[in-house]
Amino acid sequence: MPDLPKKKVGIVACSGEEMPEGTVTRLAALRVLEELRPDATVTICLPLFLAGGEGDRAFARFYPTVAVDGCELRCAARATEMYSGKPAASLVVTDIVAEQGLERPQGCRRLNAAGRAAVEATAERLAGLVDTLLGQPWDRRRGAVMAVTEQPQVEAVEATCACGSGIPITRLAVNGRVVTLIALPPIFEQFHQAGKQPGDGLARELLETVRIYNPIPAGEEAAYAEALLREYAAFCAQKERTS
């Protein structure tokens, strides 16, 4: 399989600044990212995600993601589901505060003692979810945890951050529209190093490899195969020119 980034868990934190719980989400996420699980997590920037950041959206589609929201509006969870897929897990600070009998946080810029306690409680819950998700096989094509009877299609491998996660994104023209596909460069590199030349006989193999990482709409397999073969031929030609 192509050498793709290693499985980590993406954290999407609420960006609301008008309420203390929003501050709690960001500080809790930061604690997990920098102290509790630094080697197992990456941050996904919610404003960039909403603005169309393809690296962040690709990561959230490719790997399990936890949305951490401040209140019942669940803006982070809703945005993740709208643009990438339903989060693997979701936390809401107000729920955690209520469950643990904590006082409501106060102070948007500087949290009071109750706010700091909420940060710790949320961070611990988030770290536990990270451990759980990393212990479960993740289907990169469906963007969901596999059933216990399923087998992982690819090995888990490492990413550094969501916006620079190392997950390559390619825009491809298929049937007159532009689609975004993940992992084409490493797939093409793997085929090229194996000495596989562009040709009709390679189209099906390309398609089957690409669909491990990307959903291919039913009935459009032939169009995708043709577009992939065309893109691979251009990749090989570029290799020849630069070799």
Side-chain angles (χ1 to χ4, degrees):
M1 290 296 174
D3 184 16
L4 293 171
K6 193 172 183 179
K7 178 181 174 183
K8 290 191 177 185
V9 174
I11 299 175
V12 187
C14 166
S15 61
E17 298 182 351
E18 73 284 355
M19 59 187 299
E21 288 82 359
T23 302
V24 170
T25 67
R26 293 187 293 279
L27 291 179
L30 193 63
R31 177 149 164 67
V32 173
L33 289 159
E34 294 187 348
E35 299 176 25
L36 299 181
R37 301 294 185 274
D39 297 325
T41 54
V42 300
T43 182
I44 296 176
C45 174
L46 183 57
L48 181 59
F49 189 92
L50 293 173
E54 290 188 344
D56 294 79
R57 290 184 180 183
F59 189 95
R61 185 174 60 189
F62 203 64
Y63 291 119
T65 300
V66 179
V68 188
D69 282 297
C71 67
E72 69 280 358
L73 293 178
R74 297 176 178 263
C75 298
R78 290 172 186 267
T80 304
E81 184 167 4
M82 180 180 296
Y83 293 110
S84 292
K86 187 175 181 179
S90 179
L91 293 175
V92 179
V93 171
T94 51
D95 291 346
I96 295 172
V97 167
E99 289 168 9
Q100 300 200 11
L102 302 175
E103 294 182 16
R104 184 182 176 188
Q106 299 293 331
C108 292
R109 294 187 178 275
R110 186 181 295 275
L111 292 173
N112 63 355
R116 294 191 293 274
V119 169
E120 290 303 311
T122 303
E124 290 295 336
R125 184 77 63 85
L126 179 55
L129 282 175
V130 169
D131 294 342
T132 298
L133 290 171
L134 287 179
Q136 296 176 330
W138 184 258
D139 188 325
R140 288 170 166 168
R141 182 168 56 181
R142 294 203 318 255
V145 173
M146 290 181 181
V148 293
T149 55
E150 297 179 86
Q151 295 297 320
Q153 294 172 306
V154 292
E155 293 183 1
V157 283
E158 184 174 14
T160 52
C161 65
C163 55
S165 63
I167 301 173
I169 300 167
T170 303
R171 291 191 181 91
L172 195 64
V174 179
N175 267 348
R177 72 181 191 281
V178 176
V179 300
T180 300
L181 298 177
I182 292 170
L184 287 194
I187 290 172
F188 288 169
E189 185 65 37
Q190 181 191 52
F191 274 56
H192 186 264
Q193 289 183 4
K196 297 181 179 182
Q197 298 299 314
D200 291 340
L202 194 65
R204 174 57 59 176
E205 185 178 355
L206 266 173
L207 179 68
E208 293 306 316
T209 303
V210 169
R211 79 190 313 165
I212 291 174
Y213 307 100
N214 300 272
I216 305 297
E220 297 189 32
E221 290 87 349
Y224 270 78
E226 180 183 352
L228 288 168
L229 189 61
R230 182 176 64 246
E231 191 74 8
Y232 180 59
F235 175 88
C236 292
Q238 178 66 24
K239 282 283 189 180
E240 291 297 324
R241 288 194 295 270
T242 57
S243 62

